[in-house]
Amino acid sequence: MKPIEKNLKSLVVMGRRNFLSRAAALGVSAGLSAPAIISRAAAQDISDISLRDQDLPFIGTEETFSTPELMVLNSINEDHILYLKDTGLAELGPRRIGAMNEAGLNVQILSAHTPGVQNVLGQEGIDFAYRLNKQLVDGPMATYPGRFEAFATLPLQNPEAAADELERAVREDGFLGALTNGHIGKKFLDHPDFEPVLARAEALNVPIYLHPGYPADEVFQIYYSTTRPEYKKEYQDYIFSGSGYGWHQEVLTQCIRMITYGVFDRFPKLQIIIGHMGEGLPFYYERVVGDMSDSTQNSLNKPFGQYFHDNFWFTTSAFFQDELLHLLLQYISVDRVMFATDYPFADMKEGTNWFRAVNLPREDKEMIAFRNAEKLFGIKI
């Protein structure tokens, strides 16, 4: 039994939403913050900008779904399944469409709840991925045309089959690319095993979204576990290794690995998307680029930092903070940033309301809200 399962087997899973609510009640920042006090003039400016941009269309680029079958695969216990159901994760009908309408979100690009099916071995994984992708096409995408797009779920334990499913999903069903969830069998996408998937994505001209996943058992034990049971009662280790910290560091690590070990020299047109306002990259940007540039100048085709501008896109998912967006835009061009809410684990309406009030030129806001996604994915609202 995995360490996380041992810790949580008999407990009710608190979940990210409840964790954030409790943190907010205690006055602790949980990623969705606003200044406690703002001047009357500043408040008026925010109100004016928000009113100006009430008509702003939105494409949500990281919006999660699941199915009863997938919940059983990826949950810790029955209470976890109940929590996931309560969020609306598996609801792809009136409840979700109603929330989209209320928020003014025109399109959701759907992706399977982490870790999808990427840890399922053999033909079972191949069949599961196909079934999950077809459920989207025959279900919400057919029922609500124009409101839902999707990233393909791939059977990554078999990279050749994953490449074939990516091509089938893109060519036959109109999927916009694929989404992966953290390490795959203790390997990241820079590993040679996954070159068939990367080559196929490049050939199809579709991106891969790098979503976080929970760490391997060894990593969990070294970095996140505790020997003090009193600190496991409310899932400190579980959340620490996931949305509370670990997820974001892992995605950034994978990005740096992909650049450092030549993925984009072998696949120069490959496009990668990361969420959560850059997974910490804006904070570390100068240090990472400065130090890694020196050590890679004789092994890479381009300066290290150039790959972030040529091969990466960034989304706002769940990080509705002006200061983080402005920090990201200090280092990354506005034409590489896209809107996302991380629904249902973040509130759609809170996300769109936040972005309507962001102090940016209207042209820049349109690029982030929907135009960059239209360009990257070849879709129109």
Side-chain angles (χ1 to χ4, degrees):
M1 185 176 292
K2 295 181 180 179
I4 290 175
E5 291 173 338
K6 289 179 181 177
N7 295 344
L8 303 177
K9 183 73 176 177
S10 62
L11 300 174
V12 176
V13 172
M14 179 167 61
R16 180 168 21 162
R17 184 177 63 180
N18 292 355
F19 168 72
L20 294 176
S21 298
R22 180 173 297 184
L26 294 172
V28 178
S29 172
L32 309 177
S33 64
I37 301 174
I38 58 176
S39 70
R40 184 174 300 176
Q44 183 62 48
D45 288 344
I46 291 171
S47 176
D48 290 346
I49 294 168
S50 182
L51 288 172
R52 181 198 73 184
D53 294 333
Q54 280 300 303
D55 65 335
L56 196 63
F58 288 95
I59 296 174
T61 53
E62 186 188 322
E63 317 303 326
T64 313
F65 82 98
S66 191
T67 66
E69 185 182 18
L70 191 62
M71 286 182 189
V72 170
L73 175 68
N74 289 334
S75 62
I76 297 161
N77 54 28
E78 288 297 323
D79 293 315
H80 192 190
I81 294 174
L82 291 175
Y83 160 72
L84 293 175
K85 287 180 178 179
D86 183 59
T87 66
L89 192 61
E91 208 286 326
L92 292 166
R95 175 177 172 179
R96 187 176 293 236
I97 288 290
M100 291 169 65
N101 291 341
E102 183 181 6
L105 191 76
N106 301 67
V107 180
Q108 277 197 347
I109 302 177
L110 300 170
S111 53
H113 184 228
T114 188
V117 305
Q118 68 187 47
N119 296 325
V120 182
L121 299 172
Q123 191 63 42
E124 182 184 358
I126 296 170
D127 293 343
F128 201 158
Y130 174 82
R131 188 164 62 251
L132 203 62
N133 293 332
K134 294 303 287 186
Q135 282 180 268
L136 288 182
V137 175
D138 298 336
M141 293 169 71
T143 305
Y144 303 98
R147 302 304 302 274
F148 294 116
E149 302 284 352
F151 292 116
T153 299
L154 301 180
L156 288 163
Q157 293 294 326
N158 187 326
E160 289 287 352
D164 290 344
E165 176 57 16
L166 174 60
E167 182 161 1
R168 187 210 63 75
V170 170
R171 294 194 184 280
E172 293 183 13
D173 293 333
F175 279 56
L176 304 180
L179 181 138
T180 67
N181 295 279
H183 68 90
I184 306 147
K186 303 179 184 178
K187 301 171 186 174
F188 286 126
L189 288 176
D190 62 279
H191 194 281
D193 284 358
F194 301 111
E195 291 200 350
V197 178
L198 305 183
R200 199 73 60 91
E202 183 184 49
L204 291 165
N205 193 31
V206 295
I208 297 174
Y209 200 125
L210 301 188
H211 187 273
Y214 285 101
D217 293 349
E218 301 93 319
V219 175
F220 181 87
Q221 287 294 341
I222 295 169
Y223 279 89
Y224 304 110
S225 64
T226 175
T227 57
R228 299 178 180 274
E230 67 269 26
Y231 294 110
K232 297 180 181 181
K233 292 179 181 178
E234 293 187 348
Y235 312 100
Q236 286 93 337
D237 51 359
Y238 178 70
I239 293 179
F240 181 22
S241 72
S243 60
Y245 175 80
W247 274 3
H248 313 297
Q249 295 300 306
E250 186 206 68
V251 172
L252 184 55
T253 297
Q254 182 167 196
C255 294
I256 295 171
R257 287 185 63 97
M258 292 179 77
I259 296 173
T260 302
Y261 304 129
V263 165
F264 302 107
D265 289 344
R266 294 188 293 277
F267 306 103
K269 295 182 180 179
L270 178 65
Q271 300 296 301
I272 298 295
I273 308 169
I274 63 173
H276 307 123
M277 210 69 85
E279 306 287 14
L281 177 66
F283 180 87
Y284 291 110
Y285 187 88
E286 292 191 17
R287 182 64 174 258
V288 169
V289 171
D291 286 10
M292 294 307 299
S293 293
D294 292 340
S295 64
T296 59
Q297 61 182 336
N298 296 322
S299 60
L300 295 179
N301 293 345
K302 294 187 289 189
F304 190 91
Q306 190 62 42
Y307 296 95
F308 284 121
H309 303 281
D310 294 346
N311 300 98
F312 284 87
W313 300 72
F314 303 83
T315 82
T316 65
S317 55
F319 280 61
F320 307 146
Q321 291 176 256
D322 294 27
E323 61 272 26
L324 294 183
L325 177 60
H326 289 302
L327 182 60
L328 176 63
L329 292 174
Q330 284 187 32
Y331 299 106
I332 301 298
S333 172
V334 69
D335 61 4
R336 286 267 168 175
V337 180
M338 299 183 292
F339 183 79
T341 71
D342 206 358
Y343 180 86
F345 302 110
D347 186 273
M348 261 191 283
K349 194 170 189 296
E350 184 173 9
T352 54
N353 284 346
W354 160 73
F355 192 73
R356 289 187 186 99
V358 168
N359 189 6
L360 286 174
R362 172 72 185 209
E363 181 180 359
D364 290 355
K365 291 177 76 170
E366 288 186 359
M367 293 173 74
I368 294 171
F370 70 100
R371 294 196 189 279
N372 291 340
E374 287 184 327
K375 178 181 177 181
L376 176 62
F377 301 118
I379 60 176
K380 287 287 183 182
I381 289 181

